[in-house]
Amino acid sequence: MKTISIINLKGGVAKTLTADNMAHVLAVFHNKRVLLVDNDKQGNTSKAFGVHSYDEKSLSDILTARRLDPWEVIRKTRFENIDVLPANMTLIRANLEVMMDSARPQQTRLRDALNVVAKDGFYDYCIIDNAPDINISTINALVASDDVIIPIKIDKYAFDGLAELKEQIEDTRDDLNPRLRLAGCLITCFQRTDADRQGEEWLKAQPEYPVFDTHIRYSEKVTESTFSESPIAEYSRRSGAAMDYIAFVREYLRRGKQ
Ligand SMILES: Nc1ncnc2c1ncn2[C@@H]1O[C@H](COP(=O)(O)OP(=O)(O)O)[C@@H](O)[C@H]1O
Ligand SMILES: [Mg+2]
């Protein structure tokens, strides 16, 4: 099972859309089995797949409970190849609880749970949708991951926090997870404006940040697709964003083979 963290310290850059649509494209177009982990208290990924709830166990229990079988938390979705490990607002408390409980390792709890899942050999990929933050649950995600993908929406402040995030990735790699690698930055919501073109050019000229060749075009269908709780390739297969997410996953898989 290959584990991929989708992360950026900024909100509204299409982290959730990238996690959910990458999962959908891998599942439907490449016939891969995917576990989507919702690591954001907002629970947007859980909502998008219809599994947001306060009555069932969630990621909070994975982080705080001892000897919990992770399979008790994983929910099925209407997509045969996509399951979700959901989150909700209890994650705020769970993060605090993990921070206070230094009797057990604090940074490896998600990894330990995902190792249990990986052993069963059911999933090909695990994709973690993160909150726009560095906190104990995002550090847990980095410790559990092989690859990091950073979605970036070009605007005046688009590159703020990128250096800090890269440092966090490097620290995590040095201290806790030597497998961790920055797979690349993915430009999202791309419009054919001078600002977007220049921003993309600038990023591609930075040797320390790998950037995917594919960018995700802005498309009005994307917001519509979120209201109908459909991945974009299902909602509007011919939209630019759908074609781009399909091309992006192909590029990701091709690069992984090299
Ligand atoms: N390719 C796109 N085209 C149009 N709108 C987009 C696109 N990607 C993201 N958006 C808009 O940005 C909003 C935030 O996306 P989301 O994935 O929730 O960001 P994050 O998880 O980083 O906070 C979405 O609700 C959608 O309206
Ligand atoms: Mg989100």
Side-chain angles (χ1 to χ4, degrees):
M1 183 172 87
K2 183 154 202 164
T3 301
I4 307 156
S5 264
I6 312 296
I7 188 163
N8 187 322
L9 299 187
K10 291 170 64 70
V13 298
K15 290 182 297 298
T16 299
L17 278 158
T18 298
D20 295 2
N21 284 293
M22 190 176 182
H24 178 250
V25 172
L26 281 168
V28 171
F29 292 77
H30 297 273
N31 203 26
K32 303 292 185 193
R33 291 207 183 110
V34 186
L35 173 64
L36 249 176
V37 175
D38 192 346
N39 190 18
D40 187 345
K41 61 184 179 299
Q42 307 288 343
N44 292 351
T45 282
S46 308
K47 289 174 185 166
F49 287 90
V51 295
H52 187 264
S53 154
Y54 285 97
D55 302 326
E56 316 257 6
K57 290 200 167 68
S58 71
L59 178 65
S60 302
D61 300 281
I62 295 277
L63 294 174
T64 57
R66 281 169 187 264
R67 287 178 294 277
L68 171 66
D69 179 357
W71 288 104
E72 279 183 40
V73 188
I74 292 170
R75 300 265 93 84
K76 299 227 151 294
T77 70
R78 71 183 169 89
F79 299 95
E80 200 191 326
N81 281 350
I82 305 177
D83 294 346
V84 174
L85 200 160
N88 57 40
M89 289 287 175
T90 63
L91 194 53
I92 301 170
R93 234 207 112 64
N95 266 315
L96 287 173
E97 228 177 289
V98 176
M99 293 295 292
M100 312 268 271
D101 170 22
S102 55
R104 285 196 296 148
Q106 293 160 306
Q107 297 162 320
T108 51
R109 297 182 185 193
L110 180 59
R111 182 189 70 191
D112 293 346
L114 292 179
N115 278 346
V116 171
V117 173
K119 259 200 208 100
D120 290 333
F122 187 73
Y123 299 111
D124 301 298
Y125 289 92
C126 169
I127 299 179
I128 309 176
D129 178 30
N130 284 284
D133 203 355
I134 294 285
N135 57 28
I136 195 67
S137 66
T138 46
I139 290 172
N140 265 269
L142 292 176
V143 171
S145 294
D146 303 291
D147 283 0
V148 178
I149 293 171
I150 307 178
I152 293 179
K153 179 179 175 218
I154 305 283
D155 63 24
K156 184 162 163 21
Y157 309 110
F159 306 118
D160 289 4
L162 212 50
E164 287 77 7
L165 178 55
K166 187 146 190 286
E167 206 175 302
Q168 184 62 52
I169 294 167
E170 280 159 9
D171 290 350
T172 307
R173 184 194 302 135
D174 292 348
D175 299 341
L176 290 155
N177 178 11
R179 291 171 317 174
L180 188 66
R181 134 191 121 100
L182 173 57
C185 301
L186 174 68
I187 293 179
T188 61
C189 290
F190 184 86
Q191 287 178 289
R192 291 157 66 88
T193 61
D194 286 347
D196 278 19
R197 283 210 190 89
Q198 283 162 13
E200 181 174 49
E201 232 170 72
W202 181 86
L203 191 61
K204 285 187 168 168
Q206 308 305 306
E208 68 272 36
Y209 296 107
V211 185
F212 289 99
D213 294 332
T214 312
H215 58 213
I216 311 296
R217 275 167 286 175
Y218 175 89
S219 162
E220 277 172 16
K221 297 278 180 199
V222 169
T223 306
E224 290 173 31
S225 76
T226 62
F227 282 106
S228 80
E229 293 183 2
S230 300
I232 186 66
E234 181 184 79
Y235 183 79
S236 176
R237 172 74 175 78
R238 296 163 77 86
S239 64
M243 290 194 279
D244 293 342
Y245 272 115
I246 292 166
F248 156 67
V249 170
R250 212 181 298 123
E251 183 184 352
Y252 170 79
L253 292 173
R254 191 181 66 232
R255 282 179 179 228
K257 280 197 196 114
Q258 286 167 1

